[in-house]
Amino acid sequence: MLGHAMDLQNRVALVTGSSRGIGRAIALELGRRGASVIVHHRRNSTRALAEAVAQELRQIGRHTLVIKANLVDPHDVAQMFSAVQNAFGKLDILVNNAASAVFRPLLQLEEKHWEHVWDVNLRAIVLCIKHAVPLMSTGVIVNITSLGSIKYLPNYGALGAAKAAIESLTRSYAVELAPAIRVNAVCGGLVDETSFSELIPSEVKERVAQLTPAGRMVKPGDIAKVVAFLCSDDAEMIRGQSIIVDGGLTLGLLP
Ligand SMILES: NC(=O)c1ccc[n+]([C@@H]2O[C@H](COP(=O)([O-])OP(=O)(O)OC[C@H]3O[C@@H](n4cnc5c(N)ncnc54)[C@H](OP(=O)(O)O)[C@@H]3O)[C@@H](O)[C@H]2O)c1
C-alpha cells in the first residue's frame, strides 16, 4: 500500500461541481485517501450523477452528503455551508472546481456573457471562501484553473481572464488566510474525458497528445492526484502557487 493511503482521514472536504468530470475525480480521490466528501452539483438533472459519486464514496466506507446549489445565488451558497456545518460541524478542505463558460471571440461577448463568466467563475469562489473560512480552524483551499490563465486559447478570452484572476486571488488568500489555511491552485491543461474535451475533434486531441511530452493528454485523475497532494500535510510549505498539470504541453516553443 502506498505511503499516502488514508492520509486525509478525519478531514471533511467539499468539492464544488463534483457531479462529473474533474470534480468527480477529485471527490473520489479525496475519498480514497480517507476524507469525508460533500458532493456538490447545480442542476436537478445532475442529481443522479452526484448521487452516483456519493454511492461510490459510501462503498469505500466514507461519509458523504450531496448538496445542490447554484453558486451564483448567495442564498444557495449560505445554505450549502449551513448544511455542511449541520452534517459535519467543520470543513477541512474546499476545492473550488465548478465552472461555466461562454466560448466566443471577445468582441462577440455581450454584457450578460461577461456577467455569467464573472459570477460563476469568480464571484462564486469569493463567496464560497467567505463561508468556508469560519468552518475551517485549519485547512486547505484548492482552486482549479486552466492554461487560459497564461496562454491564448481560441474563444477562451473571458474564462481565461477569470482563471488568471483566480490565480491572483489564490496568492492574496494564501497570505491573508495564513498560517492556518493553505491556498493553492491547480492549473490544468486540456483534460480528456470531460464535457469540454468532448467538444474537441478527435484529430485535435491526437495532436495535443503528440505535442505533450508525457505522451498522452491529461486525464481527470491526474488533476485529482495533484489536488490530493496539495491537501496533504506534505504540501505544508506550498502556498499561493498555481501548479501546472499539462504533461509538459506548454514547455515547447515550436511543435
Ligand atoms: N475540461 C478541461 O479540459 C479543463 C482543463 C483545465 C481546467 N479545467 C477546469 O476544471 C474544472 C472542472 O472542469 P470540467 O470540465 O470537469 O467541468 P464540467 O464537466 O463542465 O462540470 C462543471 C461542474 O460545475 C458545476 N457548475 C456549473 N455551473 C455552476 C453553478 N452556477 N453553480 C454551481 N455549480 C455549477 C456543474 O454542475 P452540474 O453538473 O449540476 O451542471 C458541474 O458539476 C473547471 O474549473 C474547469 O475550468 C477543465
Side-chain angles (χ1 to χ4, degrees):
M1 190 168 279
L2 292 174
H4 64 231
M6 300 298 283
D7 62 346
L8 301 180
Q9 217 169 7
N10 303 322
R11 314 272 166 94
V12 177
L14 165 60
V15 184
T16 67
S18 44
S19 49
R20 53 199 169 98
I22 295 166
R24 173 182 179 276
I26 295 169
L28 293 175
E29 182 64 23
L30 297 182
R32 269 192 286 272
R33 290 172 68 150
S36 301
V37 183
I38 297 119
V39 179
H40 157 264
H41 68 115
R42 178 194 47 154
R43 295 172 297 157
N44 288 329
S45 60
T46 54
R47 177 98 208 169
L49 290 176
E51 289 290 356
V53 177
Q55 187 54 26
E56 276 195 59
L57 289 163
R58 277 186 212 106
Q59 273 164 3
I60 57 168
R62 299 299 165 263
H63 293 295
T64 179
L65 181 68
V66 173
I67 300 182
K68 172 178 170 288
N70 183 352
L71 300 182
V72 303
D73 181 341
H75 178 70
D76 266 22
V77 176
Q79 277 200 328
M80 175 168 79
F81 283 93
S82 294
V84 172
Q85 171 139 48
N86 290 341
F88 296 98
K90 66 162 186 170
L91 186 69
D92 302 291
I93 295 167
L94 169 66
V95 182
N96 288 307
N97 165 81
S100 176
V102 180
F103 296 116
R104 289 189 182 192
L106 290 169
L107 289 183
Q108 289 176 26
L109 287 167
E110 296 165 21
E111 188 66 25
K112 64 181 181 195
H113 300 139
W114 283 107
E115 265 172 34
H116 175 79
V117 173
W118 292 147
D119 283 354
V120 182
N121 302 290
L122 214 47
R123 205 162 59 88
I125 289 184
V126 171
L127 208 53
C128 283
I129 292 176
K130 194 166 188 124
H131 283 279
V133 167
L135 301 185
M136 301 172 103
S137 51
T138 61
V140 179
I141 296 171
V142 181
N143 300 319
I144 307 301
T145 64
S146 69
L147 291 177
S149 64
I150 49 165
K151 296 284 176 187
Y152 173 78
L153 298 171
N155 299 324
Y156 205 91
L159 186 56
K163 294 298 191 186
I166 294 168
E167 292 181 1
S168 172
L169 283 173
T170 297
R171 291 185 283 275
S172 296
Y173 279 122
V175 175
E176 294 186 12
L177 302 183
I181 298 175
R182 289 189 283 116
V183 188
N184 287 293
V186 173
C187 174
L190 179 57
V191 182
D192 207 3
E193 299 167 8
T194 61
S195 52
F196 182 68
S197 71
E198 274 170 20
L199 305 172
I200 292 164
S202 56
E203 57 275 18
V204 175
K205 292 206 285 180
E206 276 163 30
R207 186 80 185 116
V208 170
Q210 283 166 3
L211 290 172
T212 302
R216 63 166 174 84
M217 280 177 68
V218 177
K219 292 187 179 174
D222 299 316
I223 305 281
K225 287 191 190 110
V226 177
V227 171
F229 164 67
L230 289 173
C231 292
S232 75
D233 293 345
D234 289 343
E236 168 73 15
M237 295 309 280
I238 302 178
R239 309 257 175 161
Q241 301 303 305
S242 301
I243 313 287
I244 295 178
V245 182
D246 71 348
L249 177 67
T250 48
L251 293 174
L253 253 188
L254 296 173

